Amino acid sequence: MTKVLKLMKEEKFKYKYSGVIMAYLFLVLFMVFIGMFDDSFFTGRNLSNVIYTAFPLVMVSFGQTICLLTHGIDISLGMILSLSNCVCIVLMKPDEPLGWVTGVAAALVTGMVCGLINGILIGRFRLAALIVTLSMSTVYGGIALYLLPMPGGSIHKGFAKFLRGKLCGIPVVFFLLLIVLVIVRAVLNQTPLGRKIRAVGGNYAAAYATGIDAVRTKIIAHMLAGLLSAVGGVFLAAYMYSGDPTIGSSYSLRAIASSIIGGAVFSGAVGDVLGTLAGVVILTLINNMLNLLGISSYFQFLLQGIIIIAALALGSLKNVNR
Amino acid sequence: MAEEILRMSGIYKSFGGCKALTDVDFACNRGEVHVLAGENGAGKSTILKILAGLFEADRGEICLKGEKVKIRTPRQSQDMGIAMVFQELTLVGEMTVEENLFLNMEPVRFGVVDRKKIRRQAETVMEQYGITIDLDAIVCRLTVAQQQMVEIIKILLHDPELIILDEPTSALARKEVEKLFQIVRNLIEKGKTIIFISHRLEEVFEIGDRVTVFKDGERVDTKLVSEIDTDDLIRMMVGRSLQNIFPPKNTQITEEVLFEVKELTGKALRQVSFAVKKGEILGIAGLQGHGQTELMNAISGLYPLEKGEIRMKGREIKVKNAKAALKNKIALVPSDRKTEGLMLGLPVRDNLALCSLGRRARMGVISASKEKAYIDHSVKSLSIKVFNVNNPVASLSGGNQQKVVLGKELGIDPDVILFHEPTRGIDVEAKNEFYNIMKNLAKQGTAVIMCSSDMMEVIGMSNRVAVMYEGAVTQILEGEDITEENIMRCAMGISV
Amino acid sequence: METKVLHIKENLRKPEYFVYIILAVMFTVAVIASPGYLQRAHMSGLLKTASFLGIAAIGQTFAILLGDIDLSVANTITLGNVLGAQILMGSDANLGKAFVIILLAGILIGAGNGFGIRYLKLDPFIMTLGMSSVIEGVFMIYTQGAPKGKTSPFMSSLCRSAGTGVVTGVFLIWIVLVVIAIFVMKKTTFGRNVFAVGANKTAARFSGINTTKIYFIVYIISAVLAIFAGFLLVGYTGTSYLDVGVDYNDNSIAAVIIGGTAVTGGRGGYLGTLAGVMLMVMLVDFLTIVNISEAGRQMIQGGIIIILLLLYNRDKASH
């Protein structure tokens, strides 16, 4: 116990985790608050729903956090999600036993290719990330529409059942989420690639002087983001039993908000997907909470906006001291 | 028993037309602390950067341990056992010390960074050389001194034989310098050789075994520290004739005080006081980093003052921000024209017009005719060589860019004008034009304050010189007392 | 004579002028490819659509010139639209009331953005994003999810083309605003200061410019113009819709950027944005005429912007 307390006092711990801790504190308070008003909040059923709803956003937000770490941004992630969602449905063979493989594989590859394109335009051609991803967003959305003009299509039943199912009473996606969380976090914190990503974001000149191939690093970062968004898209295909070309439109901006609430910064090198996770849950729960408080759904929007600004302002103020 | 580890002979290096090094011979013995001394721009940094592989010499030979070598890239230099710690640190602030040390060369086990190995290697090096840094500390939270330690550990991991430190002590406080020197001694004990640049003469005597003095791109002499004293050193560093680029100084100086500051105190300023009389140019001298920038900025409203008075023609004024300063007719030509003085992407004319927009505008609308007249007048009176005033100011030469900054400031018709490093990076002809402009400004009754680290300039232009040391004015020299030796002494806190 | 030709050639490579060449090319292609393109009804509709985007893009141009951005434009437009429709309720008598309320709302939004950016030190991206959310909340509460209201005769008349059959009221309003915007940007101290701050914030500070004041004014301009664009849209749509502003963020930013204003600020201006707006509107219109699917339209629209960006960046030295 004392060891943990001692650890917490350390400078490095505070620097790296203060954002995450604040985000989780906020989250816990939130959940307690809701729990007080609603008995059914902490039921398995409700919590499962939260996980199902939040999962795609978690994936996209993780991707966004990686981009933010390189001092970049990617507003097209939501559309990459839509696109891979449609690719998955379109290439799925619902009737064959392993028919889901083509769909899923193609979707994941799509995500990576989109990320690759973004990465090349931003890293190699040095175009401003904001505008590039904004424009590519339209392009990817267009391709999604082309593949699947109307929401529909059919999904491999076994696949959908698996992803929507439970294991020992806990949704399968929860385990999937944990696995992704652990892997992404491991890559970012334990591998040389992770350090390169943060170095490029923190001090491009120093990274370059140390011999790091900054262009390659940025490209890989965007590819990972695309891949993660594709995972979210695949899940949605299973969850909704169909594809929808416009489903990802609100994800990009929400992913940015989640990352920032979770402690990431626009200037790069700072951010932890653990915090981003809290950010996503907070965003998802805001609606939940406001509903339960009996607040008119229209006031919800207003409060949602104010809470987001407050959370972001707190996050910003904390960072000013760096 | 001195064994020569390095010998550079006949080194020439020019940048553009500018001769940085002329026929320099430099040798260094194994196991010694060799200090390079000399003014800014004398060539010390250049020769070391050639050694570190950042530049290649135009002519000359380098012999390492008796063997002739060619150093073309930093990597080659590193492989030969040479390591350099620069003034601009190459660390990522948001990462920990440990992460920075092994950046891009992390030992890996099963795809994952082998942190145990890193810690072991780092701890070994730290123990060997007596350095203590918390490996888990976040770099941006460390002091500059500690960050420097991290850079040193970083290069020690490659186990170099020859270690070069570029002005390591300029940003350090006394205590930190002592710590650094202890580590230098440890390094020497372990058989390393150290070359370092210092501007603080007392350090030469404290830690140096031998000292080489550079001046104007040439090596003056190399001496054993034990055989010389401060006077000898200063004499080696200065003592050259004034070139004819300075116009004759104004002799008609009245007793009328145009501008005065009293007891200016702030974080880096200690009760600075001086007065500027009509017709004179007041020079501000001293080694870099002793409060000059803060003084210039404070008077111009860019730096917060804790205490002090500023008086313009006897009347006290308050400058709490840049706008107030300009309103009070205080102009500043800042030291870094590219980041502080100009909008490089904007046309020359927009830059020239900037500070004084209000004077040619009615209800916020700029009068095109008035502006054209102003621009034409500016370009003509300052002899700004420009093809077309609509071109971006980035396309101008250094000297002309500096003139644009001056023109911009003159637009407010200032009563006081401060120059901070006025001729940095500009060619001789432009310098001469500048000096004439400055002299005329003083003659016409504008209070001119010139702060420069170029001693020749200060001596050549100033009627009086206020020398700064650690945020305070050591002394104000006048007339015949304005000599290089006196300025040097005052710059080290010793009154003459 | 030779230097003059060279001079013109050099100028044409600048994005602000280059985009006009592309616009001309696009226009020619469109006229050739679709009969009836030049018909009054069509041209008037085109110019009308352009007017709304054009008005919103004025504020966005200012924001991007500062080196920042305004993401609250879309929802501000929607707010102007629902407020306008619901206050008017079909009657011209309420025009004055609507005007004042909408103006105040716009000022409030702009001041809020300015406050968050300067005093809370929030990144403009984040602040305007958050503000966008708040505005959405406000109009959701106001409309209770069911937008009501009706346009008044005057507002509708602004969207009808009288006389020549091409010029509408809103188009005229836009033209007037264009002239004012370009004038302000090129000929006033405020305009010069905006460019200066965008080009080099530090040097601007050294030159005595009050950056806080500039920020506030820019964001207030942006919000007021956007909210009025939304108000004008009432005449166009007849009533109010919750998604009326949806594409305006993306489209205004794209118009400004392809119009040659640099993302980092300090360079460009509304002259280029004007062409950018026309280009965007004409592109969408053309793609609709030639019956390209929505999918194709999106792909082409996004693709063209990327291509233009690549072209603009070719001369720039890497930084």
Side-chain angles (χ1 to χ4, degrees), chain C residues 61-137:
Chain C
T61 307
F62 272 110
I64 295 184
L65 275 175
L66 276 182
D68 290 317
I69 202 170
D70 189 350
L71 292 171
S72 58
V73 166
N75 280 341
T76 306
I77 290 178
T78 308
L79 181 65
N81 189 251
V82 304
L83 271 180
Q86 238 166 276
I87 297 177
L88 282 178
M89 276 307 187
S91 157
D92 272 343
N94 293 324
L95 268 177
K97 188 166 147 202
F99 188 87
V100 172
I101 292 182
I102 287 177
L103 178 62
L104 286 175
I107 294 177
L108 211 65
I109 293 173
N113 275 332
F115 178 78
I117 293 171
R118 291 310 278 178
Y119 294 108
L120 292 181
K121 306 270 191 221
L122 284 170
D123 194 274
F125 190 96
I126 290 291
M127 182 62 218
T128 53
L129 193 61
M131 178 62 84
S132 188
S133 231
V134 170
I135 298 173
E136 187 176 10

Side-chain angles (χ1 to χ4, degrees), chain A residues 237-319:
Chain A
Y239 190 64
M240 317 262 282
Y241 289 120
S242 62
D244 181 349
T246 60
I247 198 163
S249 47
S250 66
Y251 278 78
S252 304
L253 296 179
R254 283 194 292 157
I256 295 177
S258 308
S259 302
I260 304 282
I261 293 177
V265 296
F266 277 109
S267 50
V270 176
D272 191 330
V273 283
L274 207 50
T276 306
L277 178 60
V280 173
V281 180
I282 290 174
L283 272 186
T284 314
L285 285 184
I286 287 178
N287 285 335
N288 216 308
M289 175 191 88
L290 295 176
N291 261 330
L292 295 171
L293 285 178
I295 294 179
S296 126
S297 52
Y298 306 120
F299 261 103
Q300 281 186 38
F301 278 98
L302 180 62
L303 279 173
Q304 188 168 7
I306 294 182
I307 291 177
I308 291 180
I309 291 187
L312 295 171
L314 274 174
S316 238
L317 285 172
K318 167 181 65 79
N319 288 330

Side-chain angles (χ1 to χ4, degrees), chain C residues 140 182 231:
Chain C
M140 288 304 273
I182 295 181
F231 185 38

Side-chain angles (χ1 to χ4, degrees), chain C residues 237-305:
Chain C
T237 57
T239 169
S240 61
Y241 293 96
L242 292 176
D243 61 355
V244 81
V246 152
D247 287 326
Y248 280 85
N249 270 344
D250 296 357
N251 288 345
S252 63
I253 294 173
V256 171
I257 300 295
I258 61 180
T261 299
V263 174
T264 44
R267 216 164 7 113
Y270 196 73
L271 195 59
T273 306
L274 180 57
V277 166
M278 287 309 302
L279 198 61
M280 298 284 301
V281 166
M282 277 173 52
L283 188 60
V284 175
D285 176 72
F286 180 69
L287 294 174
T288 317
I289 290 180
V290 297
N291 257 319
I292 292 194
S293 64
E294 172 68 13
R297 180 192 73 75
Q298 282 191 13
M299 288 192 262
I300 295 181
Q301 194 174 335
I304 290 195
I305 297 178

Side-chain angles (χ1 to χ4, degrees), chain A residues 11-12 190 195 203 210-211, chain B residues 91 98 104 113 136 141:
Chain A
E11 186 67 43
K12 171 189 177 187
Q190 318 268 51
R195 292 185 178 193
N203 188 341
T210 321
Chain B
L91 301 172
E98 170 240 308
N104 206 29
V113 170
D136 293 316
R141 296 282 218 222

Side-chain angles (χ1 to χ4, degrees), chain A residues 130-317:
Chain A
L130 189 66
I131 302 300
V132 163
T133 53
L134 193 62
S135 314
M136 288 316 286
S137 183
T138 336
V139 174
Y140 298 142
I143 302 177
L145 265 179
Y146 175 73
L147 289 175
L148 203 63
M150 294 295 290
S154 47
I155 185 123
H156 187 272
K157 292 284 187 311
F159 180 66
K161 196 162 162 216
F162 175 66
L163 278 183
R164 297 183 101 228
K166 299 196 178 172
L167 208 63
C168 315
I170 300 177
V172 169
V173 278
F174 182 68
F175 293 111
L176 188 57
L177 192 151
L178 285 180
I179 294 174
V180 172
L181 176 66
V182 168
I183 294 178
V184 172
R185 220 158 167 270
V187 168
L188 289 176
N189 290 354
Q190 318 268 51
T191 62
L193 173 65
R195 292 185 178 193
K196 288 193 178 75
I197 287 178
R198 277 182 289 139
V200 166
N203 188 341
Y204 195 88
Y208 187 71
T210 321
I212 294 178
D213 186 344
V215 172
R216 188 156 163 266
T217 307
K218 276 202 172 187
I219 293 179
I220 295 179
H222 280 272
M223 280 177 75
L224 285 175
L227 178 62
L228 285 165
S229 305
V231 171
V234 166
F235 169 74
L236 273 176
Y239 190 64
M240 317 262 282
Y241 289 120
S242 62
D244 181 349
T246 60
I247 198 163
S249 47
S250 66
Y251 278 78
S252 304
L253 296 179
R254 283 194 292 157
I256 295 177
S258 308
S259 302
I260 304 282
I261 293 177
V265 296
F266 277 109
S267 50
V270 176
D272 191 330
V273 283
L274 207 50
T276 306
L277 178 60
V280 173
V281 180
I282 290 174
L283 272 186
T284 314
L285 285 184
I286 287 178
N287 285 335
N288 216 308
M289 175 191 88
L290 295 176
N291 261 330
L292 295 171
L293 285 178
I295 294 179
S296 126
S297 52
Y298 306 120
F299 261 103
Q300 281 186 38
F301 278 98
L302 180 62
L303 279 173
Q304 188 168 7
I306 294 182
I307 291 177
I308 291 180
I309 291 187
L312 295 171
L314 274 174
S316 238
L317 285 172

Side-chain angles (χ1 to χ4, degrees), chain A residues 52-114:
Chain A
Y52 286 129
T53 325
F55 184 78
L57 185 57
V58 171
M59 292 295 113
V60 176
S61 302
F62 280 1
Q64 189 67 264
T65 305
I66 297 177
C67 292
L68 285 172
L69 284 174
T70 65
H71 193 12
I73 201 173
D74 193 333
I75 310 188
S76 68
L77 291 179
M79 280 308 166
I80 296 181
L81 177 137
S82 306
L83 181 56
S84 33
N85 176 262
C86 296
V87 166
C88 183
I89 286 284
V90 164
L91 287 182
M92 190 157 284
K93 302 194 186 78
D95 307 312
E96 288 169 37
L98 281 176
W100 55 271
V101 175
T102 41
V104 172
L108 296 179
V109 168
T110 307
M112 288 199 287
V113 169
C114 292

